[in-house]
C-alpha cells in the first residue's frame, strides 16, 4: 500500500515548485518505510501551549513523535531521556551535589516556601501548577501539575492550609491514547467535590485513496474526585479533535479532490460555578482553542501530496453537569480566524488562551487573546470578552477589553516559552466586577519584554478601564505569568514571575500585590517592616530556569493564586534545586500566614564528649536529604519521612567542655539549630592530668621529708650503745612519728585525688543508675 507523503510546510504556488519534493518522497517510499513527520502538528506547534506544544516542537524529554520505522504505540521513550531535541537527557537524582543547598532569604510578608512535589524517577521535573480551595474548608487545598515522573498529570492535597502535602495522585489520560498533553486546571464545586481538566494526546490514521498516514489528535478530559483529591475517576472526554475532509469531489480519473483538516484542541481552562438554569446547583464550564490545519489535496501522477496550508482557530465551550450525565456539544464562542503562510497573505490572525469565569448570578464570561492580523507573539494583540446569560447556549458580541503590545514567544533574555503571559487571567468580584490581568510589552521601554497590566469592568463586561501597570520596579527587566484572585471581601490579589532583582536577567522571584478598592490603587502594609509597599517579594530563594527544565525551555504557561477571607495561596514552577542537584524543577507554595518553622530536639541535652546522642527533627522538606552539623562540621546525614520528620543517632566528637551548636538542614535550604553541652572534654582531661601531677609532686616531697627523718633517726639509733645482758630497747617514738607521717601523706594524696574527681563522673553514675 502506498504511504502518504508527509505534508509540505510551504505554500506551493505551482506544480514546478513541488515536483522535486514529491519525487524525493516517492524515492523514500521505494527505499522501504515511510518517514512519519507529523507535519500538521509541527506546523501549528508554536501556537500550541502546555505539554502538547512541547511535544510538538520535539522539546519534551519523555514523549516524542514517531520517527522512521516506529509504530504509533511506540512513542514514549524513557530510557536515557530519549526525545530531548538538543541532546540526551541528563537529569540527576536529588542530593547529587553533596551538602550544597540553596540560601533562603525570608520574605517578610509571606511564609517560608514549601516545595510541594516529589520525585519518583530520574526526571525530577514538574511544571504548570494550578491551585483550588475547597469552599467548605479553606484549609483544604488542591494542586494540579504536569509531572514528568509519570506519563500524565498529578494532584497534591493539603488539609492544613499548605503546611504539609499528600501526593502525588496520578490522573489518567484516555485509555487508547499515548500520553498527557498537560494544561492541568483544578476546581471544587460547592459540595467539596474536586475536578481536574487536562489534555489527552492520541494518534489517528487517515487515508486518501490508497495512501495512509497518521497525525496527532487531542481530547479535553475531566476527572472527578469525591474524596477531596485523594482518588480520581476515569477521565471523561468533553471534546475530541479529529481529521475531516472538506469540499470533497472526484476528478475524471476517480481521484479524491478537496481539502483535509487536522484539528488540535489546546489550552483548556475549567471553572465550576452556579448553573444559570438552576442556581442551587453547580455546572462545569470548559473552554479551549480548536486549531485546524487545512491542506489542499494535490497529485503528481498517482503520488498524493498536500499543500497550501492555513491554520484556523476558534474558541469553544462545553458545559456539563457535575456528574457528566448532561453535557452540551462544543459551542462556538469566538469568530473563526485564519492564519495563512507566505509573503502574499494578509491573514495572520489567531485566537488562543481562553479562560471562563462564572459570576455569583450565573453569568458566564469568557476572555481570550486575539493576535490580530499582524501575527501571533508580535505586534498588537487584544483581549476580547464575551458573556452568556443562558448557561452558554448563546453569547454576546465580543467586546475589546484591552489592546497592547504582545510579548514574544520567548523573551530575549531567556529560553522558556513566554507567550502564555499574554493570555488573559480572569477573576470575578463578589459584586459581579470582572477583573483581568495579562503581560504586555510597555511602549515606553523598548528593552522591556514584559510588564504586568490590569483592566476591570464595573458594569458586567460592557465597558473596560485603561490598562494599569502593576509591577512597580524601575527596571526594564522581565515580568511574566500573572495570576489573579478575589477574596470574599472583594480584595484583589495578583502574583507574577519577576526578574527585577537580577542584573543578569536570568533568575526570577515571585512578586505579589493587592488592591482593596476594586483596582483603583495597589499596594499593602507590611507590619513586620512598618511600611507600605507597592509590591513585595514572595519567594525566599530565586529560580534560574536554565537549571529547571532541559534547555530552560518550559516552566509552564501559568502560575496560580487563590484567596480566602483569611489567607492567600500561591504556587509556581521553582528551579532553586537545579543548581545543586542537576536539572530539577519543582512546584513551590507560599501563603500570607507564617508556617511552623523546622525544629530539632537533642537528647540528652548534655554529656561527656564521645557519647552518642539522638536528634529528632520535624517540619522539614519531605523526602529530603538531611545534613547534620556539630561544631561546624558535617557529622551525619539522613533522610526525612513523607511528613518531613527524621530521627538520627550520632556520636559527639572528642572536644572541649562547653556548648556545641547542632544544625540540621535539608537540601531545599530549611534548617534548625539546637545546642549540646559537653560537660567533660579535652580541656577537663588536661586539667585533671595537671592536678594529678601536682598531687604526685606533693606526695614526692612528703616522702622525701619522711625519708630524711627516717635516716636521721636511724643514725641516732646506731650511735647509742647497748648494755650486755639487757634487752634491746623498744622502738624509738620517732620511728612511730615517721610511720605516721608517711600514712598521713598517702591519705592526703588519696583524699585530694578523690576531691578533684570531676562532676561529670558523678553525673555519669547518676545517668547509669537512672538507666
Amino acid at each position: 500500500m502506498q504511504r502518504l507523503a508527509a505534508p509540505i510546510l510551504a505554500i506551493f504556488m505551482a506544480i514546478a515548485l513541488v515536483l522535486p519534493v514529491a519525487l524525493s518522497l516517492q524515492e523514500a517510499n521505494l527505499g522501504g518505510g515511510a518517514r512519519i513527520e507529523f507535519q500538521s502538528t509541527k506546523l501549528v506547534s508554536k501556537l500550541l501551549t502546555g505539554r502538547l506544544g512541547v511535544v510538538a516542537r520535539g522539546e519534551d524529554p519523555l514523549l516524542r513523535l514517531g520517527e522512521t520505522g516506529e509504530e504509533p504505540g511506540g512513542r514514549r521513550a524513557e530510557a536515557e531521556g530519549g526525545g530531548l531535541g538538543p541532546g540526551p537527557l541528563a537529569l540527576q537524582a536529588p542530593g547529587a551535589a553533596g551538602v550544597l543547598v540553596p540560601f533562603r532569604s525570608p520574605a517578610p510578608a509571606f511564609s517560608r516556601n514549601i516545595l510541594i512535589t516529589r520525585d519518583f524517577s530520574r526526571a525530577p521535573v514538574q511544571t504548570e501548577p494550578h491551585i483550588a480551595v475547597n469552599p467548605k474548608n479553606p484549609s483544604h487545598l488542591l494542586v494540579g501539575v504536569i509531572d514528568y515522573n509519570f506519563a500524565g498529570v498529578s494532584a497534591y492535597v493539603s488539609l492544613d492550609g499548605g503546611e504539609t502535602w499528600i501526593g502525588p495522585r496520578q490522573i489518567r489520560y484516555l485509555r487508547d491514547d499515548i500520553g498527557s498533553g498537560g494544561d492541568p486546571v483544578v476546581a471544587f464545586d460547592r459540595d467539596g467535590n474536586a475536578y481536574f481538566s487536562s489534555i489527552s494526546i492520541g494518534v489517528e490514521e487517515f487515508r486518501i485513496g490508497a495512501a495512509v498516514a497518521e497525525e496527532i489528535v487531542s481530547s479535553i478530559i475531566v476527572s472527578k474526585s469525591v474524596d477531596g483529591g485523594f482518588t480520581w475517576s476515569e477521565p471523561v472526554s468533553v471534546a475530541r479533535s479529529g481529521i475531516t475532509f472538506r469540499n470533497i469531489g472526484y476528478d475524471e480519473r476517480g481521484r479524491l479532490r478537496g481539502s483535509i483538516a487536522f484539528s488540535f484542541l489546546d489550552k483548556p481552562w475549567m471553572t465550576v460555578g452556579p448553573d444559570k438554569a438552576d442556581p442551587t446547583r453547580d455546572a462545569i464550564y470548559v473552554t479551549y482553542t480548536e486549531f485546524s490545519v487545512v491542506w489542499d489535496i494535490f497529485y503528481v501522477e498517482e503520488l498524493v501530496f498536500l499543500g497550501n496550508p492555513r491554520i484556523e482557530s476558534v474558541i469553544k465551550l462545553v458545559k456539563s453537569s457535575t456528574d457528566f450525565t448532561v453535557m452540551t456539544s462544543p459551542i462556538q464562542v469566538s469568530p473563526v480566524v485564519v492564519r495563512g503562510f507566505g509573503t502574499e497573505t494578509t491573514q495572520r490572525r489567531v485566537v488562543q488562551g481562553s479562560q471562563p469565569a462564572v459570576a455569583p448570578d450565573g453569568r458566564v464570561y469568557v476572555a481570550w487573546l486575539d493576535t490580530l492580523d499582524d501575527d501571533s507573539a508580535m505586534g498588537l494583540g487584544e483581549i476580547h470578552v464575551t458573556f452568556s446569560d443562558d448557561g452558554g447556549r448563546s453569547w454576546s458580541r465580543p467586546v475589546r477589553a484591552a489592546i497592547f503590545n504582545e510579548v514574544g514567544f520567548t523573551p530575549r533574555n531567556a529560553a522558556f516559552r513566554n507567550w502564555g503571559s499574554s493570555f488573559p487571567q480572569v477573576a470575578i468580584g463578589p459584586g459581579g466586577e470582572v477583573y483581568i490581568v495579562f503581560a504586555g510589552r510597555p511602549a515606553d521601554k523598548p528593552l522591556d519584554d514584559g510588564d504586568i497590566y490590569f483592566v476591570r469592568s464595573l458594569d458586567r463586561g460592557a465597558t473596560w478601564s485603561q490598562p494599569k501597570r502593576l509591577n512597580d520596579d524601575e527596571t526594564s527587566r522581565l515580568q511574566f505569568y500573572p495570576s489573579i484572585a478575589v477574596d470574599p471581601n472583594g480584595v484583589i490579589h495578583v502574583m507574577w514571575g519577576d526578574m527585577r532583582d537580577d542584573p543578569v536577567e536570568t533568575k526570577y522571584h515571585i512578586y505579589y500585590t493587592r488592591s482593596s478598592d476594586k483596582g483603583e490603587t495597589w499596594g499593602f502594609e507590611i507590619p513586620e517592616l512598618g511600611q507600605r509597599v507597592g509590591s513585595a517579594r514572595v519567594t525566599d530563594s530565586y529560580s534560574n530556569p536554565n537549571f529547571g527544565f532541559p534547555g530552560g525551555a518550559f516552566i509552564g504557561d501559568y502560575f496560580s493564586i487563590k484567596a480566602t477571607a483569611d489567607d492567600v495561596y500561591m504556587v509556581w514552577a521553582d528551579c532553586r534545586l537545579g543548581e545543586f542537584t542537576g536539572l530539577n524543577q519543582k512546584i513551590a507554595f507560599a501563603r500570607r500566614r507564617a508556617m511552623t518553622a523546622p525544629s530539632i530536639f537533642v537528647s540528652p541535652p548534655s554529656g561527656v564528649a564521645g557519647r552518642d546522642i539522638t536528634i529528632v527533627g520535624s517540619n522539614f522538606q519531605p523526602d529530603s536529604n538531611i545534613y547534620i552539623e556539630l561544631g561546624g562540621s558535617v557529622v551525619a546525614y539522613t533522610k526525612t519521612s513523607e511528613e518531613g520528620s527524621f530521627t538520627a543517632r550520632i556520636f559527639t566528637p572528642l572536644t572541649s567542655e562547653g556548648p556545641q551548636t547542632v544544625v540540621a538542614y535539608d537540601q531545599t535550604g530549611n534548617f534548625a539549630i539546637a545546642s549540646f553541652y559537653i560537660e567533660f572534654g579535652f580541656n577537663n582531661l588536661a586539667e585533671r592530668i595537671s592536678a594529678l601531677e601536682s598531687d604526685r609532686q606533693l606526695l614526692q616531697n612528703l616522702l622525701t621529708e619522711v625519708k630524711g627523718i627516717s635516716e636521721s633517726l636511724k643514725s641516732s639509733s646506731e650511735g647509742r650503745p647497748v648494755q650486755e645482758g639487757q634487752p634491746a630497747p623498744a622502738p624509738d617514738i620517732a620511728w612511730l612519728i615517721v610511720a605516721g607521717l608517711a600514712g598521713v601523706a598517702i591519705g592526703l594524696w588519696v583524699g585530694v585525688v578523690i576531691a578533684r574527681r570531676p562532676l561529670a563522673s558523678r553525673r555519669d553514675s547518676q545517668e547509669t543508675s537512672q538507666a
Side-chain angles (χ1 to χ4, degrees):
M1 181 179 293
Q2 179 189 6
R3 299 291 292 183
L4 178 64
I8 313 304
L9 287 181
I11 298 179
F12 302 118
M13 304 305 296
I15 289 293
L17 296 176
V18 301
L19 186 56
V21 177
L23 289 174
S24 66
L25 291 172
Q26 188 178 34
E27 291 169 0
N29 286 336
L30 293 174
R35 184 176 180 85
I36 304 170
E37 291 286 357
F38 295 97
Q39 293 291 1
S40 293
T41 304
K42 294 179 180 179
L43 188 66
V44 76
S45 64
K46 281 199 172 183
L47 303 177
L48 300 177
T49 62
R51 191 180 185 186
L52 179 57
V54 177
V55 171
R57 290 186 296 278
E59 299 168 351
D60 193 274
L62 298 182
L63 188 62
R64 63 189 300 176
L65 303 183
E67 292 185 353
T68 302
E70 292 188 358
E71 295 300 320
R75 260 170 284 280
R76 292 200 68 236
E78 298 184 30
E80 300 304 321
L84 182 64
L89 184 63
L91 306 183
Q92 301 177 27
V99 298
L100 296 176
V101 300
F103 172 74
R104 291 196 178 217
S105 175
F110 300 91
S111 71
R112 66 185 178 94
N113 301 164
I114 299 291
L115 300 189
I116 298 174
T117 50
R118 301 160 57 198
D119 294 324
F120 295 85
S121 74
R122 292 184 62 80
V125 174
Q126 298 86 40
T127 192
E128 209 160 78
H130 191 253
I131 190 169
V133 181
N134 188 343
K136 300 186 70 174
N137 177 6
S139 293
H140 180 186
L141 311 180
L142 173 65
V143 170
V145 304
I146 297 175
D147 196 335
Y148 280 89
N149 287 291
F150 315 112
V153 289
S154 298
Y156 285 79
V157 179
S158 175
L159 301 177
D160 55 9
E163 291 218 22
T164 60
W165 292 86
I166 303 168
R169 298 293 185 264
Q170 294 189 52
I171 314 300
R172 299 292 192 266
Y173 54 87
L174 294 179
R175 182 173 298 278
D176 295 328
D177 282 351
I178 63 172
S180 172
D183 282 337
V185 177
V186 292
F188 284 98
D189 64 21
R190 67 183 69 188
D191 297 321
N193 298 308
Y195 303 87
F196 196 124
S197 68
S198 61
I199 298 176
S200 182
I201 301 177
V203 174
E204 185 174 323
E205 291 185 350
F206 64 97
R207 179 186 188 112
I208 300 178
V212 296
E214 58 187 5
E215 260 295 354
I216 293 291
V217 293
S218 59
S219 289
I220 308 304
I221 59 175
V222 179
S223 296
K224 181 177 181 178
S225 173
V226 297
D227 59 5
F230 292 100
T231 62
W232 292 88
S233 70
E234 183 74 10
V236 174
S237 177
V238 302
R240 178 81 169 179
S241 70
I243 302 172
T244 58
F245 291 93
R246 300 181 182 181
N247 305 316
I248 289 302
Y250 294 89
D251 61 19
E252 68 281 357
R253 299 172 62 177
R255 297 177 303 188
L256 186 70
R257 296 287 187 174
S259 302
I260 185 170
F262 304 90
S263 65
F264 307 87
L265 309 186
D266 186 40
K267 190 46 64 185
W269 205 274
M270 175 185 63
T271 190
V272 177
D275 188 342
K276 188 72 171 180
D278 183 2
T280 64
R281 303 170 65 91
D282 282 337
I284 304 170
Y285 299 92
V286 180
T287 62
Y288 58 90
T289 304
E290 180 181 271
F291 288 105
S292 295
V293 181
V294 184
W295 304 83
D296 293 334
I297 302 172
F298 295 92
Y299 293 86
V300 175
E301 296 299 332
E302 296 303 317
L303 177 65
V304 182
F305 67 92
L306 306 178
N308 190 27
R310 58 271 189 197
I311 300 175
E312 298 173 351
S313 57
V314 60
I315 305 298
K316 292 188 174 181
L317 174 140
V318 174
K319 175 190 174 185
S320 173
S321 60
T322 54
D323 60 2
F324 306 112
T325 58
V326 180
M327 186 182 302
T328 67
S329 299
I331 302 167
Q332 181 177 327
V333 175
S334 77
V336 178
V337 300
V338 178
R339 200 280 188 200
F341 294 88
T343 57
E344 296 82 4
T345 184
T346 58
Q347 293 181 305
R348 296 182 178 273
R349 189 177 175 189
V350 172
V351 291
Q352 172 65 309
S354 64
Q355 193 167 119
V358 184
D361 62 357
R363 171 177 276 195
V364 183
Y365 294 89
V366 177
W368 65 87
L369 169 67
D370 189 322
T371 71
L372 306 179
D373 280 321
D374 56 4
D375 214 343
S376 54
M378 60 181 65
L380 293 177
E382 294 181 346
I383 304 296
H384 288 186
V385 179
T386 184
F387 61 83
S388 172
D389 285 321
D390 56 10
R393 290 192 298 270
S394 62
W395 293 87
S396 67
R397 183 176 180 178
V399 173
R400 185 177 70 189
I403 183 170
F404 63 101
N405 295 313
E406 280 188 71
V407 301
F409 188 78
T410 57
R412 292 176 290 175
N413 61 304
F416 64 84
R417 185 177 64 218
N418 187 42
W419 188 38
S421 296
S422 284
F423 300 166
Q425 297 282 319
V426 187
I428 306 295
E433 306 88 356
V434 188
Y435 305 119
I436 294 176
V437 290
F438 59 92
R441 290 182 294 106
D444 59 336
K445 294 192 292 182
L447 294 179
D448 197 328
D449 282 353
D451 281 340
I452 306 303
Y453 293 94
F454 166 86
V455 294
R456 69 179 183 182
S457 174
L458 303 181
D459 53 9
R460 307 180 74 218
T463 61
W464 292 83
S465 67
Q466 290 296 312
K468 178 175 292 188
R469 188 168 73 103
L470 298 187
N471 53 291
D472 57 350
D473 64 304
E474 298 180 355
T475 73
S476 293
R477 296 168 191 163
L478 182 69
Q479 283 81 32
F480 57 96
Y481 292 166
S483 184
I484 186 171
V486 183
D487 68 30
N489 301 316
V491 179
I492 311 169
H493 306 265
V494 179
M495 66 171 286
W496 62 86
D498 199 314
M499 291 187 175
R500 71 175 71 179
D501 298 315
D502 182 20
V504 182
E505 300 183 70
T506 299
K507 305 167 185 175
Y508 66 84
H509 280 282
I510 300 301
Y511 271 73
Y512 161 92
T513 189
R514 69 171 178 255
S515 173
S516 301
D517 54 10
K518 300 182 180 181
E520 195 67 32
T521 60
W522 292 84
F524 61 102
E525 296 285 341
I526 302 180
E528 296 83 355
L529 299 180
Q531 66 182 37
R532 180 178 177 83
V533 296
S535 60
R537 176 172 55 87
V538 175
T539 38
D540 55 21
S541 186
Y542 65 79
S543 286
N544 183 339
N546 294 326
F547 294 103
F549 193 88
F554 187 46
I555 58 174
D557 283 316
Y558 46 84
F559 301 152
S560 185
I561 186 172
K562 288 295 183 292
T564 67
D566 301 315
D567 214 336
V568 181
Y569 305 116
M570 290 165 278
V571 288
W572 64 92
D574 192 287
C575 311
R576 70 181 68 190
L577 296 183
E579 294 188 47
F580 306 96
T581 66
L583 291 179
N584 194 302
Q585 189 165 283
K586 293 285 164 285
I587 302 304
F589 168 88
R591 69 185 190 190
R592 284 282 288 125
R593 287 181 294 132
M595 291 188 190
T596 305
S599 62
I600 55 175
F601 172 76
V602 179
S603 177
S606 60
V608 299
R611 68 156 299 153
D612 61 314
I613 60 175
T614 300
I615 301 175
V616 178
S618 58
N619 299 312
F620 286 84
Q621 179 71 25
D623 287 330
S624 175
N625 291 332
I626 291 288
Y627 306 97
I628 299 174
E629 285 185 356
L630 182 61
S633 299
V634 176
V635 295
Y637 96 96
T638 184
K639 197 174 184 69
T640 56
S641 67
E642 293 184 5
E643 293 75 33
S645 59
F646 71 89
T647 299
R649 195 171 182 86
I650 67 171
F651 286 91
T652 59
L654 295 174
T655 185
S656 301
E657 177 189 10
Q660 295 289 318
T661 300
V662 181
V663 182
Y665 53 95
D666 63 33
Q667 66 192 66
T668 74
N670 287 311
F671 69 93
I673 300 175
S675 181
F676 176 76
Y677 191 89
I678 294 180
E679 296 174 332
F680 185 77
F682 277 131
N683 59 331
N684 304 98
L685 187 60
E687 291 172 0
R688 186 167 181 178
I689 292 174
S690 176
L692 289 173
E693 177 62 25
S694 176
D695 295 338
R696 187 195 65 78
Q697 188 64 44
L698 175 62
L699 178 61
Q700 181 67 39
N701 294 338
L702 287 173
L703 291 175
T704 300
E705 292 181 10
V706 169
K707 182 178 180 182
I709 296 173
S710 173
E711 291 177 351
S712 176
L713 291 175
K714 182 178 179 182
S715 299
S716 174
S717 173
E718 291 174 348
R720 183 187 307 164
V722 178
Q723 298 292 331
E724 186 176 350
Q726 292 183 347
D732 196 294
I733 188 66
W735 286 102
L736 295 177
I737 293 173
V738 170
L741 288 174
V744 169
I746 294 172
L748 178 62
W749 179 76
V750 172
V752 169
V753 170
I754 293 175
R756 288 181 174 177
R757 289 182 62 192
L759 182 61
S761 299
R762 281 176 285 174
R763 289 186 178 173
D764 285 345
S765 63
Q766 291 174 2
E767 292 174 1
T768 302
S769 64
Q770 290 174 359

